[in-house]
Amino acid sequence: MKIVGVGGTLRDGSSTERIVAAVLAACAAAGADTEMFGGAQLRELPHFNPEAPERNAAEQRLTEAVRSADAIVIGSPGYHGGVSGLVKNAIDLLEDLRTDSRPYFEGRPVGLVVSAAGWQATGVTLTALRGIVHAMRGWPTPLGIAINSIVQKPFASDGSIADRELAAAITAQANQLIGFITRS
């Protein structure tokens, strides 16, 4: 099993990226191989150009990782009611998978994570990500993780997950991803 995580921000230690990484860690504990494409990797992607004659190394790494993945976890901060440009650009690059024998996210589970300053922003952004995953022929997991950074303090001072409900949601999403893969 291979599970790829995509998401985060350009801010080191972003909540979104840390939660995506936590879902991947829970998947790894269940036996999956995982690979993370956080803010540091996503900043290497130029603006998506469908007509570009070739892709740079960062673009090739991301598309090849998703191409070979059995499941994906996508995380985005909720910026002004939508998916961040950084994450959307990475998703747009996956248009290069359109002619694959298994195009886009075809038949694969996709866990979704959103962190935003307010419940409205988390809900709207999570809904937008679900729509994107459906458009790309993927199966959003029943559980999407939404963190309201105004009222929730999910991390302990050492960086670990401090919120028990969040820890349970991370485990549940990982179990849904693994369960979908093993039943397919």
Side-chain angles (χ1 to χ4, degrees), residues 8 11 13-14 19-20 27 63 66 75-76 80 82 88 92 129 134 148 155 163 176 184:
R11 185 176 53 80
S14 79
I19 296 167
V20 171
C27 291
T63 55
V66 172
S76 178
H80 306 114
K88 184 66 168 72
D92 288 346
L129 281 172
H134 281 286
N148 179 342
F155 305 105
D163 184 292
Q176 289 174 358
S184 294

Side-chain angles (χ1 to χ4, degrees), residues 93-175:
L93 173 63
L94 301 176
E95 176 64 17
D96 287 359
L97 305 178
R98 72 187 171 281
T99 59
D100 286 8
S101 61
R102 183 173 66 165
Y104 304 117
F105 303 147
E106 177 77 31
R108 290 178 268 186
V110 182
L112 301 173
V113 172
V114 174
S115 179
W119 290 119
Q120 181 176 358
T122 63
V124 171
T125 305
L126 188 58
T127 299
L129 281 172
R130 287 186 183 282
I132 290 167
V133 170
H134 281 286
M136 295 181 76
R137 305 178 191 178
W139 296 88
T141 56
L143 178 66
I145 298 174
I147 299 300
N148 179 342
S149 60
I150 298 293
V151 297
Q152 293 175 286
K153 302 301 177 213
F155 305 105
S157 59
D158 67 357
S160 64
I161 303 295
D163 184 292
R164 289 192 337 229
E165 290 179 8
L166 175 58
I170 288 167
T171 300
Q173 189 175 84
N175 289 340

Side-chain angles (χ1 to χ4, degrees), residues 49 51-55:
N49 176 0
E51 297 174 359
E54 50 186 60
R55 301 290 180 213

Side-chain angles (χ1 to χ4, degrees), residues 45-63:
L45 302 176
H47 289 289
F48 174 64
N49 176 0
E51 297 174 359
E54 50 186 60
R55 301 290 180 213
N56 72 23
E59 292 170 306
Q60 290 173 21
R61 278 192 305 275
L62 177 61
T63 55

